[in-house]
Amino acid sequence: MLPFSFLQGKAMILSCSPSKGKFRASWLCFLLLISCETPQSGPKETLPLKSFAESQNFLATSRLEQVQAFLEALRSLDLPFASELKIEPFGESEEGRPLFFVRFGPKKDELPTVLINANIHAGEVEGKEAVQILLRELAMGQHGEIRGKMNLLFVPIFNVDGNERIDPAHRPDQNGPEGGVGTRANAKGLDLNRDFIKLESKEDRALVALLRREDPEVFMDLHATDGSYHGFHLTYSPSLSPEVDPKLDAFNRGILLPRVRKAMRERHGYFVFDYGNYRGGDPKRGWVTYDPRPRFGTNYVGLRGRLSILSEAYSHLDFKKRVEVTKAFVLECLRQIAYHGEEIKGLCEEADQTAQRGGLKLGYDSELEEPQLEEILVGKVERLRRKDGKDRIVDLDVHEPLTVPVQRGFRARRFLAYPLGWWIVHPSTKVMDLLKEHGILFERLAKDRKAGVEIFRPDLLQKEKREFQGHHELRLRGSFVEGQKTLPQGSVFVPAQQALARLAAMLLEPLAEDSLFTWNFFDAALETTKEGGDFPVLRVLSWLKSGSQR
Ligand SMILES: [Zn+2]
């Protein structure tokens, strides 16, 4: 249900609307009015309700208030499944705006859950618009093949503070909307798609809490590209972390995504491919994917033992087309998820059990996988001068095939067996809060326990000179030495046998590529290490009888 408090900034309307019904009706009239007053393209369509972008002929994108009004109006319409839409808050932004998702259909535990996240980068607004249109289609009774097959959760407008800063000056080379888009960063200047390890934004903390609570088997994150001029309508990626459960990874890369790609071609005429950019900007040198680190949302969700899909609409298609291709891609993913629902649920349960059983290895020092020769599509663009003197870059709908080396994944070069668990020697409140926010299980020892341990001896502690997201990232190199330690009563022990073991290892291992060390959470403790104190996190290999000697 949508609580009144959810509709911020509408106090005036609320105060003069005694009933929710009347309130909804007033917004509906407002929207219909907009629809009638704006120019239409082609013959009159018989849509029960238009989104703001549709009403503006895709010359503008919606603000929070317009998304809320659309959803409220949609729920109040006499459509077969309108009453299945529920709007649920899950937190608030840095500036106090509501974070919310739309649930379609009653929650059923036996079904897989899919969370579709839009607008994490508020300059990339096609997902926000596609989600609204898709929700209308679902409310109208379309897409019966996915209805009742999954729990569907849509976050239409995740970086809501960024969205409200709409300005034509943002992403000038993107091909519309003319009215402008929001900012990439949130109100604190943080990139929400680099924050999934450190969780410094209120938005990502709320989203990770939602992931913990609803535990979606599939997470989709909707973007638009920033890079090469290619000939694909949309590019996509699974989690790129080499640490993803191998069976889940094989299903995503080998079954789900290839079938979506085929359906996009056959049912919609869209060419889609693995996300990438030309190596060194030169198409002939190859097509290379991006980054395996879990600071990125879709990489992160992979470490949680769930499927994830990144969607990147090609930013030089016109805005309407980007919305259409994004909607088609989401829909085809949902169709595959509906078809493979039981298998997906089973694979996620199995991934949890594999992690709980233990015996995993941490891969690190990762590199791009071997290239494979494949056909990509090279695009052509033209530059159109805007009023502000900047160039808008526009796709010319040319798709020239070229066979090049393609690298769409990463592999680890070195491996380290997981210990029994990790002893956090000096747990700061910040570290403990973060473990809880990620949902990592830990225990506090009820009594002193003697353990065989591995202690990291760093021979390189290198801080990046460049500031990134308010940090100077730390890189560690070194080796482990074995020893014995007594962990005093109350010590924090994080067992490596737990469903989120892969995430725990990423956070706590000094050689992991995107850890709490990377993000400076242990900087103060490492000062003590330099003065001869223990390394802040020790690997516990075995428990020893309290009397045993080295
Ligand atoms: Zn993006």
Side-chain angles (χ1 to χ4, degrees), residues 229-233 271 278 314 316-317 321 376-382 394-401:
Y229 305 138
H230 58 65
F232 300 110
H233 296 97
F271 294 92
Y278 303 134
Y314 183 46
H316 307 298
L317 300 177
K321 190 98 175 234
I376 60 161
L377 296 176
V378 179
K380 275 214 173 95
V381 294
E382 67 175 343
V394 174
D395 178 64
L396 289 175
D397 203 20
V398 172
H399 315 266
E400 276 174 12

Side-chain angles (χ1 to χ4, degrees), residues 121 124 184 223-224 312:
H121 289 146
E124 303 162 22
R184 182 177 182 86
H223 294 250
E312 295 266 357

Side-chain angles (χ1 to χ4, degrees), residues 244-482:
V244 175
D245 178 271
K247 283 190 180 171
L248 269 182
D249 197 43
F251 175 80
N252 207 1
R253 287 173 182 274
I255 295 172
L256 198 148
L257 290 171
R259 289 186 183 181
V260 170
R261 176 174 154 184
K262 189 163 176 271
M264 287 293 279
R265 174 83 185 273
E266 289 173 359
R267 294 175 68 133
H268 307 272
Y270 289 133
F271 294 92
V272 303
F273 197 66
D274 289 74
Y275 178 83
N277 284 294
Y278 303 134
R279 180 180 284 285
D282 179 359
K284 291 190 246 14
R285 290 185 57 202
W287 182 255
V288 186
T289 188
Y290 70 108
D291 191 310
R293 290 173 294 180
R295 61 188 62 186
F296 297 85
T298 47
N299 294 343
Y300 169 78
V301 169
L303 280 189
R304 297 185 70 93
R306 299 294 178 260
L307 289 167
S308 60
I309 302 166
L310 171 77
S311 164
E312 295 266 357
Y314 183 46
S315 58
H316 307 298
L317 300 177
D318 71 59
F319 182 40
K320 186 177 183 209
K321 190 98 175 234
R322 299 205 303 275
V323 175
E324 284 169 356
V325 68
T326 301
K327 182 178 75 96
F329 184 74
V330 171
L331 187 59
E332 292 307 333
C333 288
L334 296 180
R335 285 185 172 137
Q336 288 303 321
I337 294 162
Y339 185 78
H340 295 282
E342 254 177 66
E343 190 178 359
I344 289 172
K345 231 175 142 51
L347 281 167
C348 290
E349 274 166 31
E350 211 184 318
D352 286 353
Q353 288 158 5
T354 305
Q356 281 158 341
R357 262 199 311 276
L360 299 177
K361 283 187 179 129
L362 171 81
Y364 61 102
D365 206 5
S366 58
E367 62 179 357
L368 282 162
E369 66 180 12
E370 277 292 312
Q372 288 177 312
L373 281 183
E374 276 180 69
E375 190 178 279
I376 60 161
L377 296 176
V378 179
K380 275 214 173 95
V381 294
E382 67 175 343
R383 290 168 182 273
L384 299 181
R385 188 53 51 90
R386 298 167 20 132
K387 270 183 266 171
D388 61 6
K390 292 179 180 147
D391 280 349
R392 168 191 301 260
I393 296 174
V394 174
D395 178 64
L396 289 175
D397 203 20
V398 172
H399 315 266
E400 276 174 12
L402 183 68
T403 299
V404 299
V406 170
Q407 289 168 297
R408 54 160 65 82
F410 291 86
R411 60 181 177 198
R413 273 184 284 213
R414 300 171 73 188
F415 296 91
L416 180 66
Y418 283 15
L420 281 185
W422 297 272
W423 172 28
I424 304 179
V425 183
H426 298 294
S428 64
T429 313
K430 233 176 123 186
V431 167
M432 296 316 297
D433 286 349
L434 194 69
L435 292 181
K436 285 179 211 159
E437 289 188 282
H438 283 292
I440 302 292
L441 301 179
F442 60 89
E443 54 191 271
R444 287 193 181 266
L445 297 188
K447 55 180 174 50
D448 292 5
R449 283 194 87 173
K450 198 168 182 184
V453 297
E454 265 184 344
I455 306 161
F456 190 67
R457 292 269 183 262
D459 45 49
L460 176 87
L461 286 137
Q462 192 181 50
K463 271 210 178 165
E464 291 284 344
K465 287 204 179 69
R466 183 180 74 114
E467 191 190 287
F468 180 68
Q469 300 288 301
H471 289 264
H472 294 275
E473 293 174 62
L474 178 68
R475 218 175 114 224
L476 289 170
R477 286 284 173 269
S479 52
F480 291 94
V481 292
E482 282 196 36

